[in-house]
């Protein structure tokens, strides 16, 4: 690039936005304006210390987004279903419309595939389907945009699907994935994939970049976690109906997601190859687990 591009990153103190902001700053060829609802947080302070301009803002306020976009030539946008649920669509709509209104030329929006459409209405996964609707809107209002489809986070083994102690003293995790490969990635690696896209944006206009660090059956994930922690951890297939009945917020959503993966996504080898090409240092499950050995071990021994 002949001059430094200023990029607005939304959700900059969250998992995806934070990863992108840090990677762009580390690259040294971009100026980063970080949009955060918590501009006085420790994470925001760390971004400032790394060279970012941090501004307060909320995706619920389109005028605020347009103000944050002023002077930017690019934007990375991400919305958060698990924080806002159905209100996610309105927030994403505000962002897309603000990008269109301000004429920002290089726009990457984090979205996901449309489960309800792909299954002829059999399955509904709101945290996928809302992002798919936003992708459709962005393709209409910002036709030069690109999109990321980020795989299941390795970090979910800490939060959504941690190994649980069984009656026999072993540990297990389970979900409705069956033996179908599950694509996954470290959330912190998204920025490494996105940064080279911003460097050569014209080559990616209109494209979906699948962000995948590993792609293997769930039993393989259990084997890696067992090896790293020294604790016997196994994977159990849990039927969709059983998982959906667990009763926690989003249980039905996640049950349908895994069932969709099991039946309709046999693997993501092309996305894995592209992610490795864009970011050769992207972590496999083995690499990530080794780096997080202490925390994973504490999860099953503490």
């Amino acid at each position: 690039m002949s001059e430094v591009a200023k990029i607005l990153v939304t959700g900059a103190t969250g998992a995806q936005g934070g990863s992108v902001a840090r990677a762009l700053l580390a690259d040294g060829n971009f100026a980063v304006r970080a949009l955060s609802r918590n501009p006085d947080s420790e994470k925001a302070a760390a971004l400032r210390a790394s060279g970012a301009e941090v501004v307060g803002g909320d995706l619920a306020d389109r005028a605020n987004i347009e103000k944050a976009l002023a002077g930017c030539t690019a934007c990375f946008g991400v919305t958060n279903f698990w924080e806002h649920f159905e209100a996610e669509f309105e927030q994403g709509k505000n962002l897309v419309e603000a990008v269109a209104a301000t004429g920002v030329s290089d726009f990457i929006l984090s979205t996901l595939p449309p489960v309800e459409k792909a299954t002829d209405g059999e399955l509904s996964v709101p945290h996928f389907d809302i992002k798919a609707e936003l992708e459709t809107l962005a393709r209409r209002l910002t036709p030069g945009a690109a999109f990321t489809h980020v795989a299941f986070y390795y970090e979910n083994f800490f939060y959504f699907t941690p190994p649980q102690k069984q009656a026999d003293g072993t540990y297990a995790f389970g979900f409705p994935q069956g033996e179908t490969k599950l694509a996954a990635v470290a959330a912190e690696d998204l920025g490494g994939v996105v940064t080279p896209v911003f460097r050569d944006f014209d080559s990616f206009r209109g494209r979906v970049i699948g962000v995948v660090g590993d792609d293997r059956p769930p039993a393989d994930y259990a084997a890696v976690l067992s090896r790293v922690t020294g604790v016997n951890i196994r994977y159990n297939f849990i039927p969709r109906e059983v998982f959906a009945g667990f009763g926690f917020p989003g249980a039905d959503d996640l049950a349908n997601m895994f069932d969709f993966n099991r039946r309709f996504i046999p693997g993501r080898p092309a996305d894995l190859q592209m992610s490795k090409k864009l970011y050769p240092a992207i972590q496999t499950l083995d690499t990530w687990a080794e780096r997080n050995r202490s925390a994973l071990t504490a999860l099953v021994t503490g």
Side-chain angles (χ1 to χ4, degrees):
M1 295 182 176
S2 58
E3 58 185 62
V4 174
K6 179 175 286 188
I7 301 178
L8 177 71
V9 178
T10 76
T13 55
Q16 290 196 29
S19 172
V20 171
R22 290 190 297 272
L24 291 171
L25 290 167
D27 181 85
N29 293 305
F30 302 97
V32 173
R33 179 176 291 162
L35 184 68
S36 174
R37 289 189 300 120
N38 302 298
D40 298 320
S41 67
E42 290 184 10
K43 290 182 179 179
L47 287 174
R48 284 193 190 92
S50 297
E53 173 192 1
V54 180
V55 297
D58 193 320
L59 295 183
D61 184 347
R62 176 178 157 181
N64 182 261
I65 304 168
E66 290 186 14
K67 181 179 178 181
L69 284 165
C72 294
T73 58
C75 175
F76 173 81
V78 59
T79 53
N80 189 340
F81 173 83
W82 297 109
E83 186 173 358
H84 304 289
F85 294 94
E86 281 71 20
E88 179 188 22
F89 180 79
E90 192 63 30
Q91 294 197 356
K93 180 173 177 285
N94 286 340
L95 175 60
V96 172
E97 290 179 344
V99 169
T102 55
V104 168
S105 61
D106 299 350
F107 179 35
I108 299 177
L109 182 62
S110 179
T111 59
L112 288 166
V115 175
E116 195 163 11
K117 180 179 178 181
T119 63
D120 292 326
E122 180 188 349
L123 297 174
S124 173
V125 179
H127 85 275
F128 273 52
D129 290 321
I130 290 174
K131 285 185 171 63
E133 289 182 56
L134 290 172
E135 181 174 323
T136 298
L137 180 68
R139 288 187 181 278
R140 179 166 61 85
L141 298 183
T142 57
F147 307 91
T148 55
H149 286 185
V150 182
F152 184 80
Y153 295 160
Y154 301 144
E155 290 85 354
N156 285 333
F157 288 111
F158 288 121
Y159 308 115
F160 282 111
T161 58
Q164 302 285 337
K165 193 169 187 178
Q166 307 298 297
D168 62 0
T170 64
Y171 281 76
F173 63 86
F175 34 69
Q177 183 74 23
E179 299 306 318
T180 303
K181 288 181 179 179
L182 175 65
V185 70
E188 64 188 328
D189 285 344
L190 173 61
V193 175
V194 165
T195 296
V197 175
F198 275 122
R199 285 197 218 107
D200 183 25
F201 202 88
D202 286 342
S203 296
F204 292 92
R205 293 192 186 279
R207 293 176 59 182
V208 171
I209 300 101
V211 184
V212 176
D214 217 331
D215 191 26
R216 58 174 82 178
D220 285 13
Y221 288 76
V224 171
L225 296 179
S226 296
R227 176 180 58 77
V228 168
T229 63
V231 173
N232 186 359
I233 300 172
R234 67 178 184 274
Y235 163 70
N236 291 330
F237 170 64
I238 300 174
R240 184 185 68 82
E241 295 79 7
V242 174
F243 194 96
F246 284 165
F248 62 85
D252 188 63
D253 183 303
L254 291 174
N256 286 346
M257 177 195 76
F258 285 116
D259 197 45
F260 174 70
N261 288 341
R262 179 179 68 87
R263 295 164 54 198
F264 295 92
I265 306 179
R268 294 176 61 178
D271 291 339
L272 180 60
Q273 182 179 14
M274 175 58 73
S275 294
K276 288 181 176 179
K277 180 178 180 181
L278 289 168
Y279 184 45
I282 196 166
Q283 297 170 85
T284 64
L285 176 68
D286 300 78
T287 304
W288 176 85
E290 289 289 354
R291 290 180 177 176
N292 291 275
R293 178 189 293 269
S294 295
L296 288 169
T297 302
L299 194 65
V300 293
T301 59

